[in-house]
Amino acid sequence: LESTYEVIQVAGVPSSTNTFAQDVLSGLGAESKELPAKYFYDAVGSRLFESICLQPEYYPTACEAEILELYADCITARFPSGVRLTDLGSGDCRKSSLLIRQLLREKRQFTFVPVDICEDAVRSSIHALGKTFAGSTLAIQGIVAEYFDALASLRQRHEPVVVLFLGSNIGNFEEGGDERFLNRLHAVLKPGDSAIIGFDLIKDTNVICAAYNDANGVTCEFNLNLFDRINRELGGNFDRRYFVHRPLFNTKLSRMESHLMSLREQTVTIAATGRSFNFRENEMIHVESSYKYSPQKISWLAEQTGFAIQAQFEDPNHYFQDAVFQRL
Ligand SMILES: C[S@@+](CC[C@H](N)C(=O)[O-])C[C@H]1O[C@@H](n2cnc3c(N)ncnc32)[C@H](O)[C@@H]1O
């Protein structure tokens, strides 16, 4: 047996310039300006996110890696034979590779399916996994797609599925989006399938705020890259000198918010949207939410959406939790 690698692009949806332009038009045309966080992740954005993960303040990656290192054997022991291990929003696959290593060590049968909106992330992570696990019998089927398109493609499969939704990706939806996501996941999974979901837990607000405002300014650069991408792909003329990154903790909604704030009154034209957008001094564009969870909220979400929590793993500081949601 040899390793096999392939990359599938689902319907070309994620990279469509039209969809991007429409989303920018409706987001910047709204009363409270906003842009969808999924557009952070072009090739440059994905690299910057990898760099955020290495910043000392960005605890979610270190804590989740620690959990997966400590409990990889307990987690993979539950995986059925021949499982399709689907990593949604897989990024650089560094954390999922801890589970892959365990499965290979135990000589288990499985296919690893990294799914990401960023084609560059899918291709480079597969390349890196090929190097890390050279000489093994690893089968990888990379998918370039949005979460929900990739989930729809799960309906046709015959093998059992375990979905990985790591890195607190579940916290990046807008209000109620986590519950809607789990309902959609439930609809495509079969009884006995499961999902391992990474939740960032509520903790000291100072710790959370520092994670989204690292001293090296990488998170700031990651946020401002959204303007570079709009300028490049949609013919915009954002001048990043006149905007700043403003991270804020919203206590009422228990979420970290990233905003880009205009430093002066200005007008930005974006050719692909066919119009210009006016900004007031101090006006903000909401670009990302990262919800923080209580154990009660995690249990509530599982109950509401037809999952039973089979196991919950936390790092020693209780900053982060990986929960095993079994589809009922
Ligand atoms: C916060 S990063 C987490 C990466 C990795 N799972 C980890 O834990 O380090 C989010 C990843 O999800 C991808 N992503 C964001 N929105 C997406 C969407 N709507 N559909 C598919 N992938 C998405 C991004 O490209 C990025 O690689």
Side-chain angles (χ1 to χ4, degrees), residues 14 37-42 45-46 49-50 53 58 60-61 64 87-96 115-119 121-122 143-150 164-169 172-173 222 288 320:
K38 64 184 178 187
Y39 292 113
F40 281 138
Y41 297 95
D42 61 352
S46 289
F49 183 74
E50 284 171 32
C53 291
Y58 196 74
T61 301
E64 194 172 37
D87 187 0
L88 283 184
S90 48
D92 64 9
C93 295
R94 276 203 198 167
K95 278 176 285 166
S96 23
V115 175
D116 206 286
I117 198 168
C118 175
E119 180 167 356
V122 174
I143 299 184
V144 182
E146 287 217 55
Y147 299 140
F148 294 113
D149 295 321
L164 301 178
F165 203 39
L166 306 179
S168 196
N169 287 356
N172 293 137
F173 293 113
F222 173 72
E288 191 177 47
F320 203 92

